Amino acid sequence: MIGDIPAAATKSPRAPRRREERTLHAAAFTNGPNELFDFILPLWAGAALGLSATEVGILMAVEMALSVIARPIAGVLSDLFERRYVAATGAVLYAASAAGYALAQNAAAAYAAAAVGGVGGALLWVAVRAIISERLAEDSAVFPRLLASQETGSWVAFVAGMVLIGEIGFDGVFWACAGACLLAAALLLSAPRRQDPAAVRGGGAGGAPGAAEPQGAVAPEGAKGAAGSAIAGLGAVGRRLRPMLLAVVVTMTAEAAISLLLLMHLQREFDLEVIQVAYVFLPGAIAMSVAAERLHGYVVRFGRTRILMCASFASAAFAAGLAWAPNPVVIAALWILSGLAWAAVIPIQQAVIAEASGEHTGRGMGVYESANLLGALIGALTAGMLYDGADWTVACLSAAALILVGAVVVPRAVRSLGVADVPPPPPAPEAEAERAPEPAPRAKSSLAKDSAEKSTAEKSTAAKRAPAKEEPSRTREQLLRELGRHAVVFTVVQVLLMLVGLSWLRDLVTQDTLDVLLHGGGQESGFARVVEDGGKIWVFVMVGHALWAGAKCLAMAVGRGGRD
C-alpha cells in the first residue's frame, strides 16, 4: 500500500507527537500565505491586471465558493484516507494557486488560480484540524497550539510580505508563498502515519474502534467503496452539530463584519496605506499567537462556557470601542482585545466539534469550516451595507450587539452537544516523558511482555510517589537559552548593519520614528534596501520570539506554583 512504513515505526510512542509537531509547522508555513493572499489579492488584481471592482469581487467569490463546496468533501476524504496525504495535496494545490497568480496575465487565469486555491484550502485545513484532533483525548491543548502556530505564520508572513513587496513585487511574494506551501507539503508527507486508534490512549478525538484506518490509508467503509454511506455519515454529523454550526455562523458573521468595517474605516477615514493598515492589525495577530496556549489554562480552570461568554463580552467591547477610537494607535490597542478573545474562542470551537463528531472528525471539521466561511460571506455583505447605509457609530454598535448574541448562543450550543464543559488539563512535560517508553521488540515472549508491563507500572507508581521533578525548570532554562542565543546573534548582526549604514533600528532612532516604522529607512532601492528590510523583519521576529518565550516561562511558573 502507498506510503507503508515498518510496523515498529508505526507503533513508536513518539510517533503521534511527531505527527502533530510536523503538522503544526506545516500549518504555520501555509497560514502565512493564506492570510497574505486575502490581504493583497484585491490590490494585486486591480494594480497588475486592471480588474474592476466587480471583477475583483468575483475573484474573491470564486475562491470562497469553491472552498465552501469542497470543505464537506474534504471532511469525508479525511475520514476515508490517510489525512497527511489529503493535507499535503491541499498544500500542493495552494502552491499551484500562488504560482498561478504569479503567472496570470488576465482575469480568466486569475479566476482559475482562485478556484485551485479554494479547493486546496479546503483539503488542507480540514485535514490539518482532523490530524490535530487525534491527540485531543490525551492533550486538551492541541487546538490552542494549532492556533498559535497559524497566527505565528500569519504575522511573520505579513511583516515579510509587506516589507519586501516593494522590492520583489507581487509576483515575488506569490513565488515565495508557493515555496512555503511546498515546504509544508514536504513536512506533512514526512510525518508518521496515524497509529491504530486501539493503540493510542483514548484513541484521540473520535478514537472509538474503527475510527481510523489500521493501515492509515482507507477506513473500512472506504475500502468497500461505500460512497453513499460516507455522504449519509456527513449528513448525520451535520445534524448532530447543527446547534454549534448555527452559533459559528452567527459569531463569524459578526466578527467578519467588524473586521471589514475596520479595514474600510482605516483606509477611508484615516487615509492609511496598505502597509500602515497591516501594522494596525499586527499587534492582534501577535497577541493571538502568544496567548492561545496560556488562555487554555483558564479554560481548564473555569470551563468552556464561561470563557466563551467572557470572550464574547471582550470582543463586543472592542467593537463598541471602535465607535469612539480617535486614532489608529488606539484601534491597534483595541484590536489586541479582539485577538485575545479569538485566541480563546477558536480552539474551544474546534475541540468541541472534534469531540462531538466522534469517529467522523474529518466530516465534523468539514461542515465546521463551511459554517465559518458562510458566516464570513454574510459578514462581508453586512459590513458593506452598514458602512454605506449607516453612521459609523451605529455600524460598530450593531456589530457589538450581534457579538453579544453569541455570548448566549455559543455556550448554549456547547451544552446542547453534551461534551464536557471542563476539558482535562494538558499533560505536564515530565508526564509526556514518562508516557513514552521504548517500544518492546515485536517477537517478545509472553513472560517477557508481562515482566516489561510490570516494570513499567512500577516505574509509573514510583514516579507518582517521588517528589516533583525539575523538568519544568530545565525546560524554562532551555527556552531562555534559545532566546539568549537568538539575542546574541541578533545583536551582532545589528551592530554590523549599523557599521555599514544599513541598520533599520538606527534609522528608527535617529529619524522620524513613525515614518521609518511605516515606510522603511533611508535606503531607496536595490540590494541595500533588501538588506535593511531584512533587518526590519528580524526585529519583529525577535520581538515575537521574546514575547512567546516570556509567555511560556510565565505559564510554566504559574502552573508549577499551582501544583505546589
Side-chain angles (χ1 to χ4, degrees):
M1 192 171 295
I2 296 175
D4 279 349
I5 57 177
T10 302
K11 295 182 179 179
S12 169
R14 282 283 301 162
R17 183 67 194 217
R18 288 201 307 272
R19 179 177 169 92
E20 177 194 318
E21 288 171 351
R22 295 191 183 183
T23 303
L24 292 176
H25 291 145
F29 279 112
T30 48
N31 197 57
N34 175 44
E35 298 289 342
L36 195 58
F37 284 178
D38 290 343
F39 193 77
I40 68 173
L41 272 181
L43 306 172
W44 165 79
L49 299 183
L51 300 187
S52 66
T54 300
E55 290 173 320
V56 171
I58 293 174
L59 176 68
M60 306 303 290
V62 165
E63 181 178 8
M64 185 173 291
L66 265 294
S67 196
V68 170
I69 294 170
R71 266 166 163 77
I73 300 172
V76 174
L77 294 176
S78 297
D79 284 341
L80 296 181
F81 298 95
E82 167 57 51
R83 288 164 177 167
R84 62 197 170 106
Y85 296 154
V86 178
T89 301
V92 171
L93 290 177
Y94 245 172
S97 175
Y101 289 132
L103 297 172
Q105 300 296 322
N106 52 54
Y111 293 155
V116 172
V119 176
L123 294 174
L124 173 70
W125 293 117
V126 171
V128 161
R129 290 186 172 92
I131 292 172
I132 293 301
S133 73
E134 292 166 4
R135 293 189 64 249
L136 181 59
E138 60 186 87
D139 186 352
S140 62
V142 290
F143 281 112
R145 278 199 295 274
L146 174 61
L147 180 64
S149 296
Q150 288 179 279
E151 291 305 316
T152 298
S154 174
W155 71 259
V156 170
F158 253 97
V159 172
M162 293 299 101
V163 168
L164 296 178
I165 196 169
E167 297 301 318
I168 63 178
F170 287 110
D171 290 350
V173 172
F174 287 138
W175 284 118
C177 290
C181 292
L182 290 177
L183 178 58
L187 285 169
L188 289 164
L189 292 174
S190 67
R193 179 187 305 281
R194 185 182 182 187
Q195 288 187 342
D196 184 344
V200 181
R201 188 172 68 87
E213 53 284 3
Q215 299 298 323
V218 182
E221 65 179 71
K224 298 175 184 178
S229 176
I231 296 174
L234 179 64
V237 170
R239 287 190 294 274
R240 168 157 174 70
L241 299 178
R242 186 178 299 160
M244 191 64 193
L245 297 178
L246 292 175
V248 167
V249 171
V250 171
T251 56
M252 194 62 197
T253 296
E255 296 295 343
I258 197 63
S259 298
L260 187 56
L261 282 170
L262 176 56
L263 181 62
M264 292 187 291
H265 190 62
L266 291 172
Q267 288 179 325
R268 301 183 185 188
E269 296 299 323
F270 293 103
D271 296 322
L272 297 188
E273 298 177 358
V274 175
I275 296 179
Q276 296 169 320
V277 172
Y279 286 150
V280 173
F281 284 93
L282 182 62
I286 296 177
M288 289 181 71
S289 66
V290 172
E293 290 188 68
R294 183 69 191 97
L295 290 173
H296 181 68
Y298 293 99
V299 176
V300 172
R301 183 176 179 183
F302 297 107
R304 289 164 169 164
T305 53
R306 290 184 182 180
I307 296 299
L308 286 171
M309 286 189 287
C310 291
S312 295
F313 286 130
S315 189
F318 154 74
L322 286 180
W324 298 283
N327 55 58
V329 175
V330 175
I331 292 175
L334 287 172
W335 186 249
I336 294 176
L337 187 62
S338 178
L340 293 175
W342 273 106
V345 170
I346 293 176
I348 293 176
Q349 289 181 348
Q350 294 172 353
V352 166
I353 291 293
E355 291 176 12
S357 299
E359 62 185 35
H360 300 302
T361 309
R363 294 169 173 85
M365 288 299 170
V367 295
Y368 163 75
E369 290 284 329
S370 292
N372 260 321
L373 288 176
L374 179 59
L377 179 60
I378 297 173
L381 296 174
T382 304
M385 292 185 291
L386 282 174
Y387 195 84
D388 289 335
D391 179 74
W392 169 248
T393 302
V394 173
C396 291
L397 294 180
S398 299
L402 187 57
I403 294 172
L404 283 178
V405 172
V408 178
V409 174
V410 178
R412 281 191 173 186
V414 172
R415 285 192 291 265
S416 71
L417 295 180
V419 299
D421 183 54
V422 179
E430 61 269 27
E432 287 274 338
E434 290 173 6
R435 205 166 51 237
E438 288 297 322
R442 297 183 64 189
K444 182 176 283 188
S445 67
S446 177
L447 180 60
K449 183 178 179 182
D450 292 342
S451 175
E453 290 177 351
K454 181 178 179 181
S455 175
T456 302
E458 289 175 352
K459 289 179 182 178
S460 178
T461 303
K464 291 178 181 178
R465 294 176 180 173
K469 294 184 178 181
E470 294 300 320
E471 183 68 24
S473 296
R474 289 198 296 271
T475 302
R476 288 197 297 273
E477 290 171 1
Q478 290 173 356
L479 288 172
L480 293 176
R481 279 199 299 269
E482 290 176 1
L483 179 61
R485 287 194 293 266
H486 188 181
V488 169
V489 176
F490 173 82
T491 302
V492 171
V493 173
Q494 291 297 330
V495 169
L496 292 175
L497 290 176
M498 288 182 185
L499 293 177
V500 297
L502 298 176
S503 173
W504 179 80
L505 274 178
R506 186 191 64 180
D507 292 342
L508 188 68
V509 174
T510 59
Q511 301 178 22
D512 186 332
T513 300
L514 184 60
D515 183 66
V516 173
L517 182 65
L518 297 177
H519 301 291
Q523 306 300 326
E524 295 297 332
S525 61
F527 177 76
R529 179 60 185 268
V530 173
V531 173
E532 187 175 49
D533 286 344
K536 178 180 180 180
I537 295 172
W538 199 352
V539 171
F540 285 103
V541 172
M542 184 68 213
V543 172
H545 187 180
L547 291 172
W548 176 83
K552 292 286 286 186
C553 291
L554 179 62
M556 292 176 184
V558 172
R560 189 178 179 189
R563 288 196 299 272
D564 293 341

